[in-house]
């Protein structure tokens, strides 16, 4: 087995960073791809497994650290076995004590741009001018042919088990298809590993057919609602009259796949203006059938469950 590609003083055996979620941190995304290209693991600099490495690459942006973690990093540098044997890749420089310690104890120093090189050349004459290549994790082309499903909503509400049913129904059609997933978060919640887990689950279900769209503006959401064949939104118990994602999709004329229970809106009728995933054995694919459901959905979303009806009710009660 060949040794992993080298960087710095010896064969790199890991990439160590601070933030690890590539969906929320550019440095984490760079570190993930650097680790892939070096064929080594990417870990937190505070991970216990990092202590057993011999020549890790520390790829850091010190301004991202909390004060407490900066202190912890300074203490770590005093005790680790790879002190003096690690490579340092800098994305920025704020001249803090811990950065100066990193700079002086690294065996090799790489700077992400020429400005950093100019800042640090006097302190480290051997600093190397470097760069950050493309960090596109999923360079996929959309496949516009066939059926399409759009799903958006709060990350913690994605029901992967019902997407398994959607996958089965899509496969039964025998047609090519694509699934587009966007997400949002409630205020006060974190875009953490939970969403990554959910997306991984959906990728396991849909395979190469799914595309992650990240956060989207209302304008972008509107266009996907208009242009895709189906909109999918599933809930812990069942769709409710105050699930705005479903109401928005119906008002746009989307053919909605969702799940019903006893408390779902009475205005929702399976195969009339919405599709109940629990009662669906075959997805409608005929244009006339889809158009009829879309027209009825639009009438419901802008009529019985629209703003005019709600305002009328509130005014009538005041």
């Amino acid at each position: 087995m060949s040794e992993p590609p080298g960087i710095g003083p010896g064969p790199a055996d890991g990439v160590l960073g601070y933030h690890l979620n590539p969906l929320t941190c550019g440095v984490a995304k760079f570190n993930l791809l650097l680790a892939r290209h070096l064929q080594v693991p990417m870990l937190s600099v505070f991970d216990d497994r990092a202590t057993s490495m011999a020549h890790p690459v520390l790829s850091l942006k010190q301004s991202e650290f909390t004060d407490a973690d900066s202190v912890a990093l300074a203490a770590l540098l005093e005790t680790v076995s790879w002190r003096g044997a690690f490579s340092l890749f800098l994305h920025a420089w704020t001249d803090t004590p811990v950065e100066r310690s990193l700079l002086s104890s690294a065996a090799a120093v790489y700077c992400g741009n020429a400005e950093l090189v100019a800042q640090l050349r006097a302190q480290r004459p051997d600093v190397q001018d470097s760069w950050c290549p493309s960090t596109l994790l999923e360079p996929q082309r959309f496949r516009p042919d066939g059926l399409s499903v759009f799903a958006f909503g709060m990350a913690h509400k994605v029901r992967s088990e019902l997407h398994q049913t959607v996958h089965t129904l899509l496969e039964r059609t025998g047609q090519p298809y694509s699934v587009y997933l966007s997400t949002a978060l409630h205020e006060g919640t974190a875009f953490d590993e939970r969403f990554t887990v959910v997306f991984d689950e959906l990728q396991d279900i849909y395979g190469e057919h799914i595309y992650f769209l990240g956060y989207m503006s209302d304008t972008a959401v509107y266009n996907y609602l208009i242009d895709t064949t189906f909109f999918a939104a599933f809930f812990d118990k069942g769709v409710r009259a105050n699930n705005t994602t479903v109401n928005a999709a119906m008002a746009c004329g989307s053919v909605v796949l969702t799940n019903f229970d006893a408390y779902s809106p009475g205005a929702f009728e399976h195969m009339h203006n919405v599709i109940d995933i629990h009662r669906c054995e075959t997805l409608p694919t005929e244009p006339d059938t889809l158009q009829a459901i879309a027209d009825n959905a639009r009438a419901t979303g802008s009529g019985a469950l629209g703003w005019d009806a709600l305002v009328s009710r509130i005014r009538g009660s005041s």
Side-chain angles (χ1 to χ4, degrees):
M1 183 176 178
S2 61
E3 287 188 333
I7 181 171
D13 51 3
V15 174
L16 305 181
Y18 183 53
H19 292 143
L20 300 180
N21 191 337
L23 299 177
T24 58
C25 177
V27 175
K29 199 174 184 184
F30 169 82
N31 289 349
L32 176 61
L33 285 165
L34 177 61
R36 286 182 182 177
H37 284 278
L38 290 171
Q39 301 172 34
V40 298
M42 180 189 79
L43 300 172
S44 165
V45 69
F46 299 120
D47 193 304
D48 289 342
R49 292 170 292 176
T51 59
S52 64
M53 293 179 176
H55 303 290
V57 180
L58 272 65
S59 176
L60 305 170
K61 189 174 183 180
Q62 187 61 35
S63 60
E64 295 179 344
F65 280 63
T66 64
D67 291 343
D69 284 340
S70 290
V71 172
L73 179 59
L76 179 70
L77 290 173
E78 296 298 323
T79 60
V80 289
S81 60
W82 38 259
R83 179 180 174 86
F86 69 93
S87 298
L88 178 64
F89 195 107
L90 289 170
H91 299 266
W93 180 259
T94 53
D95 200 30
T96 61
V98 69
E99 284 174 307
R100 292 195 291 271
S101 179
L102 285 164
L103 189 68
S104 63
S105 57
V109 179
Y110 303 87
C111 290
N113 60 62
E115 182 182 11
L116 290 172
V117 173
Q119 287 179 283
L120 300 176
R121 181 73 78 188
Q123 299 175 66
R124 280 293 300 244
D126 61 340
V127 66
Q128 298 190 45
D129 190 359
S130 301
W131 58 93
C132 293
S134 166
T135 56
L136 288 176
L137 284 172
E138 303 292 342
Q140 299 168 284
R141 288 284 289 164
F142 290 161
R143 299 174 183 174
D145 297 332
L147 304 173
S148 54
V149 179
F150 177 48
F152 82 93
M154 299 300 172
H156 67 286
K157 293 183 179 179
V158 174
R159 294 282 303 278
S160 56
E161 74 279 7
L162 292 181
H163 278 277
Q164 183 65 65
T165 303
V166 175
H167 172 258
T168 300
L169 292 170
L170 287 167
E171 288 289 326
R172 283 180 189 167
T173 69
Q175 297 190 32
Y177 63 89
S178 299
V179 178
Y180 304 98
L181 175 66
S182 179
T183 189
L185 288 170
H186 272 303
E187 185 175 355
T189 59
F191 194 96
D192 57 13
E193 64 276 2
R194 173 57 192 156
F195 180 77
T196 306
V197 169
V198 169
F199 180 66
D200 287 344
E201 290 174 356
L202 295 186
Q203 197 156 41
D204 287 342
I205 292 170
Y206 292 113
E208 64 180 2
H209 298 281
I210 193 168
Y211 305 94
F212 174 51
L213 305 178
Y215 293 117
M216 296 175 65
S217 67
D218 282 357
T219 300
V221 167
Y222 171 76
N223 278 272
Y224 271 91
L225 289 172
I226 295 295
D227 293 336
T228 48
T229 314
F230 303 102
F231 170 71
F234 304 116
F235 305 91
D236 286 341
K237 297 178 181 179
V239 63
R240 297 286 184 264
N242 61 340
N243 290 137
T244 57
T245 52
V246 169
N247 292 341
M250 293 178 71
C252 291
S254 295
V255 177
V256 175
L257 304 171
T258 190
N259 54 315
F260 286 19
D261 71 356
Y263 296 101
S264 296
F268 288 5
E269 298 179 48
H270 174 59
M271 292 302 295
H272 174 70
N273 54 10
V274 69
I275 297 175
D276 180 3
I277 195 68
H278 292 307
R279 297 161 63 189
C280 183
E281 296 182 358
T282 304
L283 284 175
T285 58
E286 291 296 322
D288 289 347
T289 303
L290 291 169
Q291 189 61 56
I293 296 173
D295 290 343
N296 293 331
R298 186 180 294 107
T300 302
S302 58
L305 295 178
W307 278 106
D308 288 347
L310 179 63
V311 169
S312 178
R313 173 162 298 186
I314 291 173
R315 283 177 173 167
S317 301
S318 59

